[in-house]
Amino acid sequence: MATPEPPKSISSRLEAWGNSPFAPTGLATLITALHFRPLQVRPMLFVPILFFSSYANLQGFKIDSAGITAAASGTYALLAMRRRPAAFMSRFSARGIVRGAAVGIGIANAVAGGWVYAKGDREREKKERTENPRWVE
């Protein structure tokens, strides 16, 4: 019988979500699915910002990436929550479910990214980057 994992604290879960490069990429994918066809330019402006944030995270700039993710995700979530669907049943269509997931992930990214940005240790991060360089030959 496998031993159960100890329960994780909320702060460790926020830290893990905020340091993940997948969170901004997932939100960018959902934004693209919602606003690419028909093309809506203003929401699509968030996609390259979120992809850059994911790239910066992979390069070792986790704290700065968390700040960029928090700002972009929170702004998108606020703008997306302004619009209300006309009918109750439209919330449970495929588009409504994707929209709800995008807003939910946007809020989660904003909270977790803000947590990591506020609690991050830049000296430790800089030390990790210099000791463990990426993409070197």
Side-chain angles (χ1 to χ4, degrees):
M1 185 169 158
T3 59
E5 289 188 28
K8 294 183 179 181
S9 67
I10 293 174
S11 62
S12 66
R13 287 179 189 252
L14 283 174
E15 187 92 19
W17 184 277
N19 282 327
S20 172
F22 298 116
T25 305
L27 180 60
T29 303
L30 291 176
I31 291 172
T32 303
L34 282 171
H35 303 291
F36 191 68
R37 197 165 180 146
L39 183 64
Q40 298 169 349
V41 176
R42 280 179 271 156
M44 288 296 291
L45 293 175
F46 290 100
V47 174
I49 296 168
L50 291 167
F51 278 137
F52 172 74
S53 174
S54 182
Y55 175 75
N57 190 324
L58 291 172
Q59 291 299 320
F61 296 94
K62 294 184 182 298
I63 296 170
D64 295 326
S65 169
I68 294 169
T69 300
S73 298
T75 305
Y76 174 78
L78 284 175
L79 292 175
M81 284 191 304
R82 289 186 320 158
R83 181 186 148 296
R84 294 280 182 219
F88 180 74
M89 288 307 291
S90 67
R91 293 181 186 178
F92 297 107
S93 66
R95 187 171 183 89
I97 291 171
V98 171
R99 182 176 173 272
V103 170
I105 291 175
I107 292 170
N109 284 353
V111 170
W115 177 268
V116 170
Y117 188 74
K119 299 287 182 181
D121 183 9
R122 291 191 185 273
E123 293 301 320
R124 185 177 55 114
E125 182 186 55
K126 185 176 181 180
K127 183 179 171 189
E128 284 178 14
R129 267 196 322 271
T130 56
E131 289 177 358
N132 190 15
R134 296 182 183 222
W135 322 119
V136 277
E137 297 177 21

